[in-house]
């Protein structure tokens, strides 16, 4: 008699291994997208790429002329103890962007987020705190470097002096490293906002990063290191104070958070709407008076001619070779100034949003986060079967809870007071309106933690 073959699993369960349970029954498991895979493997991708480059550099000496630019600054002049620009700087920017991606992921996943979870924060809040922690760490360091370069320079306190040495190409090793790392961080930020959860101001942030990258790279090629240093310092201090205030908010230090938010607003207004326009005015007024329009030799910075070619091709000459003439005229001045003014317009738009938040705080209301991503505030995975969200209850025919459907007594009064969500009797918080989002800037100082 033949042996009876026993199926490895009940017949009725066959084919269900690709399904997951949900309040409405079994549904197909969600496949991991390429974007999600990249986000989940940022550390491995970054470290593997750098390790491969480092292995090639150490194991194959014949390849070192090609791999060395990834790991150290290029175009060093030993006689003057200075550097100049060149195409090999692109490789340093690429490797720095990859390294920053890995360092950011390590800081968030291995240190900051576990620390936030250990302090009792939920998953979304711990991730937000970790992201802000990384921003605060980076900007505090890079702003300190930039401020040191500015404070020890000849143009400290004198914007007109920013143009006095143009078009001298040599720059110190620290200044070159600083500018290239700042450019690498902008490139890395463009990558981050595309692979991670998209926020409502995605277009504005993308525009800001692209314009800033184009402005910084062009200023670097055209030897405008001084003004680049000043502008970056004015921008970076604000980008340090904002995540610091958010960290205080997530940590539930409300008084310190409110103080930090006030300091952030004041610093933003002073640096971006008082000092920064002074820099723009210096481009308009001081630049034509401190330097002579015309063309200079690329290698020695000697004046060649007051006439510049009529074609736009002369603008691209410095990008291709250091030996090509470098020219400057009113057209280039206005192009440079226009990009600076576009950044100022973006800053004004964002500051108007911040002022609305501050006004809502003073008036005791809540503000909506126009920068938040699309996730709800609820964490529905901890709900009991008897406490089903309203949108699932309506779908499955289960009775909806009045708190979840918005029919609870007194709910209209809460809405009139500006409350954006109500707390269900189960675990988590369920929004009653699909447009409900976290408050702008993480509701800094807008409400006390519950």
């Amino acid at each position: 008699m033949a042996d009876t073959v026993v199926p490895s699993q009940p017949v009725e369960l066959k084919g269900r291994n690709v399904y997951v349970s949900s309040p409405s029954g079994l549904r197909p498991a969600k496949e991991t997208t390429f974007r999600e895979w990249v986000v989940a493997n940022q550390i491995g991708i970054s470290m593997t790429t750098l390790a491969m480059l480092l292995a090639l550099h150490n194991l194959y000496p014949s390849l070192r002329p090609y791999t060395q630019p990834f790991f150290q600054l290029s175009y060093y002049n030993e006689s003057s103890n200075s550097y100049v620009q060149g195409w090999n700087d692109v490789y340093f920017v690429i490797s720095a962007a990859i390294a920053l991606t890995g360092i950011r992921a390590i800081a968030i996943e291995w240190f900051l987020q576990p620390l936030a979870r250990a302090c009792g924060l939920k998953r979304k809040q711990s991730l937000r705190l970790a992201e802000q922690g990384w921003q605060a760490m980076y900007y505090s360091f890079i702003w300190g470097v930039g401020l040191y370069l500015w404070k020890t320079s000849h143009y400290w306190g004198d914007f007109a002096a920013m143009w006095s040495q143009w078009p001298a190409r040599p720059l110190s090793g620290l200044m070159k490293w600083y500018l290239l790392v700042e450019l690498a961080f902008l490139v890395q930020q463009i990558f981050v906002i595309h692979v991670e959860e998209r926020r409502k101001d995605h277009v504005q942030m993308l525009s800001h990063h692209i314009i800033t990258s184009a402005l910084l790279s062009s200023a670097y090629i055209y030897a405008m290191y001084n003004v680049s240093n000043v502008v970056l310092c004015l921008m970076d201090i604000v980008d340090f104070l904002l995540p610091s205030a958010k960290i205080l908010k997530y940590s539930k230090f409300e008084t310190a958070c409110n103080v930090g938010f006030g300091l952030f607003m004041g610093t933003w207004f002073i640096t971006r709407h008082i000092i920064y326009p002074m820099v723009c005015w210096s481009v308009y007024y001081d630049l034509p008076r401190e330097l002579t329009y015309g063309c200079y030799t690329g290698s020695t910075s000697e004046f060649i001619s007051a006439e510049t070619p009529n074609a736009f091709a002369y603008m691209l000459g410095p990008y291709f070779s250091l030996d090509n003439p470098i020219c400057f005229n009113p057209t280039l001045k206005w192009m440079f100034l226009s990009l600076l003014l576009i950044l100022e317009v973006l800053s004004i738009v964002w500051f108007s949003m911040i002022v609305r938040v501050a006004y809502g705080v003073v008036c005791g209301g809540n503000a909506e986060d126009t920068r938040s991503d699309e996730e709800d505030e609820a964490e529905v995975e901890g709900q009991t079967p008897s406490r089903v969200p309203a949108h699932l209850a309506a779908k499955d025919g289960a009775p909806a809870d009045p708190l979840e459907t918005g029919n609870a007594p007194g709910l209209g009064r809460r809405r009139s007071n500006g409350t954006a969500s109500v707390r269900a009797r189960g675990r988590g918080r369920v929004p009653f309106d699909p447009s409900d989002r976290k408050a702008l800037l993480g509701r800094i100082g807008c409400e006390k933690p519950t």
Side-chain angles (χ1 to χ4, degrees):
M1 183 176 180
D3 295 336
T4 303
V5 178
V6 180
S8 59
Q9 57 181 342
V11 176
E12 62 272 12
L13 294 181
K14 282 186 177 181
R16 291 191 178 184
N17 55 334
V18 295
Y19 286 75
V20 295
S21 61
S22 69
S24 58
L26 294 177
R27 58 180 175 81
K30 181 181 178 182
E31 294 185 2
T32 302
T33 64
F34 177 74
R35 181 189 65 82
E36 293 171 338
W37 178 83
V38 171
V39 171
N41 294 276
Q42 291 182 74
I43 298 175
I45 295 172
S46 303
M47 296 300 104
T48 301
T49 303
L50 293 177
M52 290 175 61
L53 287 172
L54 191 59
L56 290 173
H57 181 77
N58 290 321
L59 297 177
Y60 299 94
S62 61
L63 296 179
R64 287 180 184 176
Y66 305 100
T67 57
Q68 186 170 320
F70 286 99
F71 300 105
Q72 69 181 50
L73 300 176
S74 303
Y75 307 108
Y76 175 66
N77 188 334
E78 188 174 356
S79 61
S80 61
N81 191 28
S82 61
Y83 292 83
V84 292
Q85 317 98 313
W87 274 103
N88 283 352
D89 294 336
V90 174
Y91 303 118
F92 185 85
V93 171
I94 293 173
S95 63
I98 295 173
L100 285 170
T101 301
I103 295 171
R104 176 184 182 272
I106 290 173
I108 290 176
E109 296 180 19
W110 293 3
F111 298 101
L112 298 176
Q113 193 171 8
L115 179 62
R117 294 286 284 178
C119 293
L121 296 182
K122 295 182 180 179
R123 184 180 63 86
K124 282 292 182 183
Q125 286 183 321
S126 65
L127 178 59
R128 291 290 175 263
L129 186 144
E131 291 173 346
Q132 301 308 315
W134 161 250
Q135 294 277 339
M137 290 167 56
Y138 169 79
Y139 281 114
S140 62
F141 171 74
I142 205 68
W143 179 73
V145 175
L147 185 63
Y148 169 79
L149 289 169
W150 186 10
K151 184 68 172 63
T152 56
S153 69
H154 67 279
Y155 50 89
W156 173 258
D158 183 9
F159 289 152
M162 292 189 299
W163 319 104
S164 60
Q165 297 180 352
W166 192 88
R169 291 293 187 89
L171 72 164
S172 67
L174 182 59
M175 177 67 84
K176 179 167 184 170
W177 180 89
Y178 167 73
L179 295 176
L180 293 182
V181 169
E182 286 275 38
L183 182 57
F185 183 78
L186 289 169
V187 173
Q188 186 260 346
Q189 285 293 96
I190 294 175
F191 165 78
V192 167
I193 66 175
H194 277 89
V195 300
E196 296 190 348
E197 289 182 278
R198 180 168 295 194
R199 297 178 182 272
K200 286 186 175 181
D201 67 342
H202 175 83
V203 175
Q204 294 95 319
M205 291 300 297
L206 180 61
S207 302
H208 173 272
H209 294 331
I210 291 177
I211 293 172
T212 307
S213 300
L215 192 58
L216 179 56
S217 58
S218 299
Y220 178 75
I221 293 296
Y222 270 82
M224 294 184 177
Y225 319 121
N226 302 336
V227 67
S228 301
N229 175 214
V230 173
V231 170
L232 288 171
C233 281
L234 296 178
M235 297 292 177
D236 289 347
I237 179 60
V238 170
D239 292 329
F240 161 68
L241 292 175
L242 176 58
S244 299
K246 286 186 176 183
I247 291 172
L248 293 172
K249 186 267 176 185
Y250 288 127
S251 302
K252 301 181 181 180
F253 294 107
E254 289 299 314
T255 301
C257 170
N258 293 335
V259 173
F261 183 53
L263 180 62
F264 156 74
M265 283 192 62
T267 304
W268 178 300
F269 181 77
I270 293 172
T271 57
R272 297 198 177 188
H273 302 305
I274 295 180
I275 303 179
Y276 184 82
M278 293 170 61
V279 175
C280 295
W281 173 256
S282 179
V283 175
Y284 172 78
Y285 183 80
D286 295 329
L287 186 150
R289 289 163 175 78
E290 294 293 330
L291 60 87
T292 303
Y293 285 145
C295 292
Y296 301 76
T297 58
S299 55
T300 62
S301 303
E302 295 179 359
F303 186 75
I304 300 176
S305 171
E307 298 294 330
T308 56
N310 294 326
F312 281 91
Y314 73 92
M315 299 181 184
L316 302 178
Y319 286 87
F320 295 108
S321 175
L322 187 67
D323 296 327
N324 289 336
I326 180 171
C327 304
F328 208 85
N329 60 11
T331 301
L332 282 169
K333 183 195 80 170
W334 281 108
M335 291 176 64
F336 183 45
L337 182 58
S338 297
L339 291 174
L340 289 173
L341 292 176
I342 290 174
L343 291 181
E344 177 64 11
V345 170
L346 289 174
S347 294
I348 291 173
V349 172
W350 281 323
F351 191 68
S352 65
M353 296 160 57
I354 297 169
V355 170
R356 286 199 296 269
V357 173
Y359 179 78
V361 173
V362 172
C363 295
N366 290 334
E368 293 302 314
D369 185 2
T370 58
R371 291 200 56 205
S372 64
D373 48 25
E374 296 300 325
E375 89 277 0
D376 292 328
E377 288 188 39
E379 292 187 6
V380 297
E381 67 269 15
Q383 292 179 333
T384 60
S386 62
R387 191 60 57 195
V388 182
H391 65 282
L392 293 179
K395 180 178 179 180
D396 299 334
D401 190 282
L403 282 176
E404 294 158 350
T405 57
N407 297 323
L411 185 56
R413 176 172 54 83
R414 294 189 213 176
R415 284 175 175 166
S416 64
N417 290 337
T419 303
S421 61
V422 294
R423 184 174 297 278
R425 283 172 284 179
R427 291 181 58 189
R429 177 175 291 185
V430 181
F432 62 79
D433 191 321
S435 64
D436 177 34
R437 298 291 182 262
K438 290 179 293 184
L440 179 63
L441 310 178
R443 276 203 187 115
I444 296 176
C446 291
E447 65 177 5
K448 294 182 179 180
T450 54

